[in-house]
Amino acid sequence: MSGITDNTSELLSNKKHRKGRLKEETKLKEYFRDINNTRLWYYCLLAAFVVASLATRLYKLEEPTHIAWDETHFGKHASWYIQGSFFFDVHPPLGKMLIAFAGYLSGYNGSFEFKEPGVSYEDHPYYGMRLLCALCGFWVVPLGYLCVWELTYSLTAATISGLLILCDTGTLTLSQYILLDPILLCFIMWATYSTFKFCNCEMFELDWWVWMAIAGFSLGCAFSVKWVGLFVIALVGLRTIRDLWDLLGDLRNTKVCLLPLNQPTLFQPSVCVPTIQRIVPPVKSIVGGNVGGL
């Protein structure tokens, strides 16, 4: 009788074990199915925001066919850069140099005077300069979606943020004219997103270094378009201080090895890039016989 009882207990125990294992396997399957569904929705929504952002920014980009608002300033500066004329500029040069480059590639020779708003462009090619600004402004929507995803890992929050930026008429309007704002916003969003990405990566892995370098480069570009780009450097700087505080408080880390590798790598690009961008154009123009904007 004792042998039969022992066998029965063993069978019941094995049955309970199998049931428990089946429950765990079912939970794992549901977990991975949820992850795959989330990943599918993540990429579908990202693609939708990319298409919608491009469509709204490029819609009737050629209108109006006359100077609108501050195009009279930045178009004029781009013309001076193309002509190699000397002028004093209160802003850093990168934004207007990019506009000038886009105009040059689209066949604009810098002959239009950009006198005042309302003056017709006539036969002068202006579409290329507006296209550059629209393509820069396009990045704001998908990068806003990606930034909130990196902060929350919530598709709902990321989708709401993307929709709010997509439907914001102010951001849309700024992206369709020859202005510095869409270029500045593009670099600011890239700096913010790459900072969040590198903070979420494993330290000293390849993607950690890559996103850190992108963050530094984007910070330098933002600062080289307008002086207000300094504020995004302040944002990243505060985040860096917080990370440093966490690292210093973690006794598992080797502080001597940690500090030299982490923060200087982030800030070297943000210092070197704008410095090079500020020094190279005047030196190049002087050596070439022309003096551009300073």
Side-chain angles (χ1 to χ4, degrees):
M1 291 294 293
S2 60
I4 295 174
T5 304
D6 292 340
N7 289 336
T8 304
S9 301
E10 186 177 350
L11 288 172
L12 291 173
S13 176
N14 290 336
K15 189 175 181 180
K16 289 180 180 178
H17 180 70
R18 284 196 299 271
K19 284 184 177 179
R21 188 172 60 185
L22 286 173
K23 286 182 179 179
E24 291 180 359
E25 290 178 354
T26 303
K27 288 182 179 178
L28 283 174
K29 288 179 181 178
E30 291 177 354
Y31 172 74
F32 285 113
R33 185 168 62 247
D34 291 340
I35 288 179
N36 290 332
N37 289 338
T38 301
R39 186 175 300 172
L40 176 63
W41 277 106
Y42 168 83
Y43 286 113
C44 288
L45 288 168
L46 177 60
F49 280 124
V50 167
V51 172
S53 183
L54 269 176
T56 52
R57 270 64 187 168
L58 298 179
Y59 179 70
K60 293 187 177 181
L61 187 61
E62 70 282 356
E63 297 181 4
T65 58
H66 59 77
I67 301 173
W69 195 26
D70 277 359
E71 284 186 333
T72 183
H73 301 299
F74 305 120
K76 189 181 299 181
H77 292 161
S79 297
W80 290 339
Y81 269 116
I82 293 174
Q83 294 174 348
S85 303
F86 176 84
F87 66 96
F88 178 79
D89 189 4
V90 296
H91 297 298
L94 180 61
K96 274 156 282 193
M97 291 177 70
L98 289 175
I99 294 173
F101 183 63
Y104 177 78
L105 290 180
S106 60
Y108 176 61
N109 59 8
S111 59
F112 189 64
E113 295 184 1
F114 284 91
K115 284 185 177 181
E116 58 184 2
V119 176
S120 175
Y121 283 113
E122 298 176 348
D123 295 330
H124 297 277
Y126 63 94
Y127 187 84
M129 293 182 281
R130 282 189 180 174
L131 180 62
L132 169 75
C133 296
L135 292 178
C136 288
F138 138 78
W139 283 105
V140 178
V141 177
L143 286 175
Y145 166 82
L146 292 172
C147 283
V148 177
W149 169 260
E150 290 296 325
L151 286 171
T152 64
Y153 291 110
S154 168
L155 274 179
T156 303
T159 303
I160 291 173
S161 66
L163 286 173
L164 289 174
I165 301 174
L166 178 66
C167 299
D168 179 50
T169 54
T171 306
L172 171 61
T173 303
L174 287 175
S175 301
Q176 291 192 310
Y177 297 104
I178 305 171
L179 304 171
L180 294 183
D181 302 83
I183 303 173
L184 175 67
L185 287 172
C186 175
F187 289 130
I188 285 177
M189 293 302 293
W190 267 110
T192 305
Y193 173 63
S194 53
T195 299
F196 292 153
K197 284 290 291 185
F198 119 84
C199 289
N200 290 337
C201 293
E202 288 292 330
M203 292 185 62
F204 307 122
E205 295 292 332
L206 177 61
D207 54 349
W208 186 80
W209 291 102
V210 169
W211 284 112
M212 183 186 292
I214 295 174
F217 179 80
S218 301
L219 288 171
C221 289
F223 171 62
S224 298
V225 174
K226 268 189 173 183
W227 296 117
V228 293
L230 286 169
F231 287 104
V232 72
I233 295 179
L235 170 66
V236 176
L238 291 174
R239 178 62 186 257
T240 302
I241 292 172
R242 197 203 75 172
D243 289 345
L244 268 177
W245 182 262
D246 293 339
L247 291 172
L248 289 171
D250 191 348
L251 299 179
R252 296 171 299 177
N253 294 325
T254 305
K255 299 178 181 62
V256 175
C257 298
L258 208 56
L259 294 179
L261 289 174
N262 189 5
Q263 308 314 323
T265 310
L266 175 62
F267 282 105
Q268 281 176 4
S270 64
V271 173
C272 294
V273 170
T275 302
I276 293 172
Q277 290 167 336
R278 292 292 283 173
I279 292 176
V280 170
V283 171
K284 182 179 178 181
S285 59
I286 291 172
V287 172
N290 295 320
V291 180
L294 297 177

